[in-house]
Every structure is written in structure tokens, then in C-alpha cells.
């Protein structure tokens, strides 16, 4: 399942990160828009309640130390759902 999400089009995310002069390969838990973006990506594939997805993201924000590689972070979140 993480691979399906990772293989989706992340251009909008990447472009916004580049505009902010930040590395698009890393996920930032401190940016609300990034959390919202990941929630929306996951909801396309999973029927979990939004709060459950947000809780999984929050848990991974605590266990995956910054900088958080996108692939590793998404795999962490999906393992908690």
C-alpha cells in the first residue's frame, strides 16, 4: 500500500516545496499543508477515518526523526493504519 501512494503524482507537493526553497524529498510534520496533503493522498486508498490517519501521522512524527525521508515516513504511517 505505501508504494501505491508513493507512486502517485506528487508534483503539486514537490513544486510547493521547491517554491518554499525546501527539499521535496523530505516530509515536514510542522507544515499543516503537508500533513493535509498526505491525509488526502491516503484517503484516496484507505477508508480509515481522517482522525485515525492524522493520529498515525502524528505518531510517525514522533518516531521518525527529522529530516524525514518521504518514503520512510509514508511507510511508517501506512504501517500504523
Amino acid at each position: 500500500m505505501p508504494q501505491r501512494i508513493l507512486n502517485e503524482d506528487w508534483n503539486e507537493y514537490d513544486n510547493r516545496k521547491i517554491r518554499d526553497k525546501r527539499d521535496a524529498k523530505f516530509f515536514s510534520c510542522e507544515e499543516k499543508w503537508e500533513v493535509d496533503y498526505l491525509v488526502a493522498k491516503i484517503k484516496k486508498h484507505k477508508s480509515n477515518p481522517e482522525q485515525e490517519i492524522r493520529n498515525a501521522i502524528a505518531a510517525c512524527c514522533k518516531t521518525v526523526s527529522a529530516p524525514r525521508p518521504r518514503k520512510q515516513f509514508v511507510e511508517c504511517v501506512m504501517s500504523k493504519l
Side-chain angles (χ1 to χ4, degrees):
M1 177 69 73
Q3 214 51 46
R4 285 176 41 197
I5 293 168
L6 289 165
N7 287 337
E8 278 201 13
D9 180 5
W10 285 73
N11 282 333
E12 183 182 336
Y13 177 92
D14 293 342
N15 291 337
R16 183 160 178 187
K17 293 277 280 196
I18 290 166
R19 276 195 313 270
D20 292 346
K21 296 184 177 31
R22 296 184 313 144
D23 193 334
K25 293 184 296 258
F26 297 98
F27 185 85
S28 175
C29 295
E30 294 74 28
E31 294 288 333
K32 181 184 181 316
W33 75 266
E34 290 189 47
V35 173
D36 293 343
Y37 189 91
L38 184 54
V39 168
K41 284 275 186 210
I42 293 170
K43 285 188 74 62
K44 285 184 187 177
H45 299 280
K46 302 277 284 175
S47 59
N48 300 59
E50 183 173 325
Q51 191 55 52
E52 188 176 326
I53 296 169
R54 289 185 181 279
N55 290 344
I57 291 171
C60 290
C61 287
K62 292 176 184 168
T63 59
V64 179
S65 57
R68 298 172 185 89
R70 182 192 308 172
K71 180 180 186 300
Q72 179 185 358
F73 191 77
V74 170
E75 288 171 349
C76 176
V77 173
M78 297 309 293
S79 74
K80 297 194 178 303
L81 294 175

